Amino acid sequence: MIAATPNPPCYAVIFTNLRTDIDEGYGKLAEEMVRLAEQQPGYLGHESVRDGLGITISYWESLEAIKNWKAHTDHLVAQKYGREKWYAAFKTRIALVERDYGFEREE
Amino acid sequence: MIAATPNPPCYAVIFTNLRTDIDEGYGKLAEEMVRLAEQQPGYLGHESVRDGLGITISYWESLEAIKNWKAHTDHLVAQKYGREKWYAAFKTRIALVERDYGFEREE
C-alpha cells in the first residue's frame, strides 16, 4: 500500500479532494482510472486514502508522462464528471520528489 | 481540510505510513506534533488522512524549514517512538511543488 517507487528523482501528483454527496458511478470510474493509470508509460505507483478528505498521490517518471495521462481521452471524461458532480473541491499539486527515506519493521 | 498553501513553489513532505497495533500515547503525541509543526518558521499547512494507510503531507517554505523541524527536540522524540513502536512501515518523500491548480464548487 506504500508505493514502491524507484530512487528519486521522480514526479508526484498530489490530488487532495472533498467529495459531494453524489455517487452516480464514482467508485467504478475511480477504480477504472487507477487501472488505466497503471498502464500508462512512465507510471511508477500510487497511494490513496479517504476518510472524509481524500488524498491520492500518483508517481511518474516525468512531466511528459503526467501531461499525457492528464490528456488521455477516458481520463478527460472522468475529470469532466469530477468537476460536474463528484468533487466539492480539489487541489492538484505537481511536485518533483527530490529525496526519500523509509523504514520497515523487521519482525 | 485542503491546505490553503500559497502559490508555488513550496516544499511538500509526503509521509506515507502503516501503523502497528500499539497505541501507547500515539494519538496524543500525533496531535501535539501537528500543533508544534504549525508554530515552526516556514510552515505553510498540512493535510492528513488515515484509513489503514496513513498519508500526512506538510507544506513548507524551504528545505531549511523542513530540516529545522526534523531536528526539533520534541519531534526527534516522536520520531524515535515512531520507529520503536508506532509504525510498521513508512516512507517520507521530500518534494518541490512546482505547480498547482484547483476547483471549488460555487453553490
Side-chain angles (χ1 to χ4, degrees):
Chain A
M1 286 167 95
I2 298 180
T5 46
N7 288 337
C10 72
Y11 273 92
V13 178
I14 306 168
F15 179 61
T16 308
N17 61 82
L18 290 165
R19 290 268 282 108
T20 59
D21 295 333
I22 303 165
D23 188 63
E24 290 181 15
Y26 171 77
K28 186 163 172 285
L29 201 63
E31 276 176 30
E32 274 178 34
M33 285 308 110
V34 167
R35 270 201 304 277
L36 196 56
E38 287 170 351
Q39 296 163 21
Q40 302 309 304
Y43 171 89
L44 298 175
H46 83 278
E47 294 158 345
S48 191
V49 190
R50 177 177 307 281
D51 180 17
L53 187 69
I55 300 179
T56 295
I57 308 172
S58 57
Y59 297 96
W60 300 86
E61 277 176 12
S62 65
L63 286 177
E64 184 71 14
I66 293 169
K67 192 177 145 193
N68 290 340
W69 169 233
K70 195 183 175 196
H72 188 292
T73 310
D74 294 357
H75 192 198
L76 285 176
V77 173
Q79 289 169 55
K80 184 169 176 287
Y81 288 156
R83 287 176 183 261
E84 280 176 7
K85 53 184 185 180
W86 289 326
Y87 295 116
F90 70 74
K91 188 108 180 176
T92 301
R93 295 178 174 95
I94 317 291
L96 174 63
V97 179
E98 298 181 349
R99 202 160 65 79
D100 69 8
Y101 55 91
F103 165 82
E104 196 157 349
R105 199 161 293 277
E106 278 169 24
E107 5 177 43
Chain B
M1 290 165 96
I2 298 180
T5 45
N7 288 336
C10 72
Y11 274 92
V13 178
I14 305 168
F15 179 61
T16 308
N17 60 82
L18 291 165
R19 290 268 281 108
T20 59
D21 296 331
I22 303 166
D23 188 64
E24 291 181 15
Y26 170 77
K28 186 162 173 286
L29 201 62
E31 276 176 30
E32 274 178 32
M33 285 307 110
V34 168
R35 268 201 304 277
L36 195 57
E38 286 170 351
Q39 297 164 20
Q40 302 309 303
Y43 170 89
L44 298 175
H46 84 279
E47 294 159 345
S48 192
V49 190
R50 176 177 306 282
D51 180 17
L53 187 68
I55 300 179
T56 295
I57 308 172
S58 58
Y59 299 96
W60 301 86
E61 278 177 10
S62 65
L63 286 176
E64 184 71 17
I66 293 169
K67 192 177 144 193
N68 290 340
W69 168 233
K70 194 182 177 198
H72 188 293
T73 311
D74 294 357
H75 192 197
L76 286 176
V77 173
Q79 289 169 55
K80 184 170 177 288
Y81 288 156
R83 287 176 183 262
E84 281 177 6
K85 53 184 184 179
W86 290 325
Y87 295 115
F90 70 74
K91 187 107 179 175
T92 301
R93 296 178 174 96
I94 316 290
L96 174 63
V97 179
E98 298 181 348
R99 204 160 65 79
D100 67 9
Y101 56 92
F103 165 82
E104 196 157 350
R105 200 161 293 277
E106 278 170 24
E107 7 180 42

